[in-house]
Amino acid sequence: MTATEGIFIDPQNKVRGEITVPGDKSISHRAALFGGMAQGDTHITNFLPGQDCLSTLACLQKLGVTWERHETEVWLQGQGVDNWVEPQDVLDVGNSGTTFRLLSGVLAGSPFASTLTGDESIRKRPMKRVTGPLMQMGARVLGRQDGNFAPLTIRGGNLAGRSFTTSVASAQVKSAILLAGLRANGETIVREPALSRDHTERMLRGFGVEVWSEGTQAKVIGGAQLKARDVSVPGDISSAAFFLVLGSLAKEGELLIREVGVNPTRTGILEVLQKMGADIQLENISEICGEPRADLRVKPSDLQGIEIGGDIIPRLIDEVPVIAVAACLAKGETVIRDASELRVKESDRIKTVVEGLKALGADIEELPDGMRIMGKPKLLGGRAQSHNDHRLAMAWAIAGLLSENGVSLEGIEAALVSFPGFFPLIEQVTRVL
Ligand code: S3P
């Protein structure tokens, strides 16, 4: 166990600034992984140098992929996935579920043994949703509870394409199956209960692979080879979310967040905040490398509680902790439902969010698949704990800025997983006016 770091967040409800947030985590993982699978040189710009994406790069190195990184630029020299080598050591994904699940999909097609593991949180997260389909395609997987918990050993090769209907809308599951499908005989189809983020489908097309998708269904045909290409990563809307909530609930000022990814499978946060009454404008909309991006301008406004549930949930799943902070300060009741997936994230985010906000003075109640929140004019503040969950560390910081007495926050180093530079950036935008 490493020592945890603490900070006191003073109340501060004026904001101003033009900022960028680090590169999108989901897109950075995929750019590194696909660059490592491709033939030829891939140059990634605005790569997220967060711990999760660095775990993906470290695992690729153990599989024989050569790359160089300088800050947010990565150069990969891909030899093709068929030239990956049996790793001589365990592949450690740290805290990164995306690394674990996407890499499992690729390794299901590799004719050698590899063992994947990760931190305490990863070793508790359900993997059968991925290893089950991979085993049905022909991969051998060994691990606790019939391949549900890391450490897991995968011996791949000789896969047969299949058709799957998943019970959860998960881009990690969908992507793992599609990536295995690229190395299987015949067609592989995934149908989801609702559409999850589609960065894999978009980026595979960019790497020259044919991917058919319609509604909640996607299909690949085995044998396709990835061709290297350059990738420019947009800012992460999940990281921008903290500043969207801060900018909406501040009393004074304005924030402009430049070049944020606005892929429609990720913009649930914009729709929810706008429905609550937030003043958020999209400017300079463009599309680069198959992914839309825009500048987001946010100004203070009064928020109203709303009901959030159904197909929008996968489109905002990582933003629920900070949406809950917004709901605590909105007028009236907010109910979040259909979000039981939160229980198997980096922490049980229904429990940790409800307990964390209650400790800061919120009127909030746990539901089996979400939470019910009655807004108040102010949160008192108090003590908060990240539970080693990056999104909680940052949500509690926003709660602290918007509180009456401030928040004493433990475990801030967790933010490094997805947002290096988060704390200096909040200091920058609140160093006021
Ligand atoms: C991700 C998918 C989501 C999300 C995670 C990143 C991805 O997880 O919560 O932060 O990059 O594919 P699930 O696929 O498990 O819902």
Side-chain angles (χ1 to χ4, degrees), residues 25-27 29-30 98 101-102 125 129 169-173 175 196-197 199-200 317-318 341 345-346 349 390-391:
K25 179 158 80 71
S26 293
I27 297 175
H29 280 301
R30 286 159 174 81
T98 308
R101 295 193 174 120
L102 269 58
R125 295 180 69 184
R129 49 180 62 194
S170 159
Q172 295 181 356
V173 173
S175 303
S196 64
R197 63 191 68 189
H199 305 300
T200 294
I317 191 75
D318 293 339
E341 268 301 293
K345 292 293 176 190
E346 286 83 333
R349 284 190 184 153
H390 54 130
R391 308 241 183 250

Side-chain angles (χ1 to χ4, degrees), residues 119-404:
D119 69 5
E120 207 181 319
S121 148
I122 277 290
R123 283 180 272 118
K124 284 190 211 144
R125 295 180 69 184
M127 297 300 170
K128 197 61 195 264
R129 49 180 62 194
V130 168
T131 55
L134 299 179
M135 287 192 241
Q136 287 179 48
M137 292 172 82
R140 281 183 287 164
V141 182
L142 262 183
R144 287 177 297 142
Q145 296 194 22
D146 194 24
N148 196 22
F149 293 112
L152 287 174
T153 297
I154 301 177
R155 177 174 277 282
N158 281 327
L159 301 184
R162 289 187 61 136
S163 182
F164 296 98
T165 301
T166 62
S167 54
V168 282
S170 159
Q172 295 181 356
V173 173
K174 171 176 64 178
S175 303
I177 295 172
L178 292 175
L179 291 171
L182 291 179
R183 311 184 70 198
N185 279 322
E187 285 183 6
T188 295
I189 301 174
V190 188
R191 278 183 211 90
E192 308 187 88
L195 184 62
S196 64
R197 63 191 68 189
D198 65 356
H199 305 300
T200 294
E201 297 91 306
R202 287 171 185 251
M203 200 184 292
L204 280 176
R205 290 188 191 111
F207 277 79
V209 174
E210 271 194 271
V211 182
W212 289 262
S213 55
E214 210 187 324
T216 58
Q217 197 165 309
K219 180 177 91 177
V220 293
I221 296 181
Q225 302 292 324
L226 279 73
K227 288 184 216 68
R229 63 157 300 161
D230 292 347
V231 181
S232 159
V233 181
D236 196 327
I237 192 166
S238 299
S239 298
F242 300 101
F243 291 91
L244 293 174
V245 169
L246 178 63
S248 296
L249 286 163
K251 291 283 167 272
E252 238 183 277
E254 178 176 321
L255 288 175
L256 182 64
I257 317 168
R258 288 210 183 274
E259 303 223 43
V260 179
V262 288
N263 176 316
T265 60
R266 297 284 299 282
T267 47
I269 176 73
L270 299 180
E271 285 158 47
V272 156
L273 288 175
Q274 283 166 337
K275 201 165 157 206
M276 291 176 88
D279 180 352
I280 300 172
Q281 304 297 328
L282 275 68
E283 300 172 2
N284 293 323
I285 302 172
S286 63
E287 185 167 312
I288 301 178
C289 296
E291 291 281 354
R293 59 176 79 182
D295 298 340
L296 306 179
R297 189 181 296 277
V298 56
K299 295 180 192 167
S301 44
D302 293 327
L303 300 190
Q304 294 284 334
I306 57 164
E307 299 216 345
I308 307 169
D311 287 0
I312 199 169
I313 293 294
R315 300 174 51 233
L316 51 68
I317 191 75
D318 293 339
E319 289 68 76
V320 171
V322 79
I323 290 173
V325 172
C328 287
L329 296 164
K331 217 181 236 152
E333 188 180 72
T334 294
V335 182
I336 303 175
R337 287 203 175 276
D338 307 316
S340 44
E341 268 301 293
L342 289 171
R343 297 215 180 264
V344 291
K345 292 293 176 190
E346 286 83 333
S347 65
D348 172 348
R349 284 190 184 153
I350 295 185
K351 192 162 165 272
T352 50
V353 166
V354 169
E355 284 175 1
L357 285 170
K358 215 177 247 171
L360 302 182
D363 182 352
I364 182 166
E365 174 199 347
E366 181 170 341
L367 302 174
D369 62 344
M371 57 198 79
R372 185 192 307 278
I373 302 166
M374 187 52 81
K376 291 180 166 181
K378 264 281 183 224
L379 275 173
L380 270 181
R383 295 170 72 88
Q385 168 59 248
S386 75
H387 297 281
N388 217 12
D389 181 334
H390 54 130
R391 308 241 183 250
L392 295 188
M394 296 185 275
W396 300 161
I398 301 303
L401 290 169
L402 299 169
S403 70
E404 190 94 49

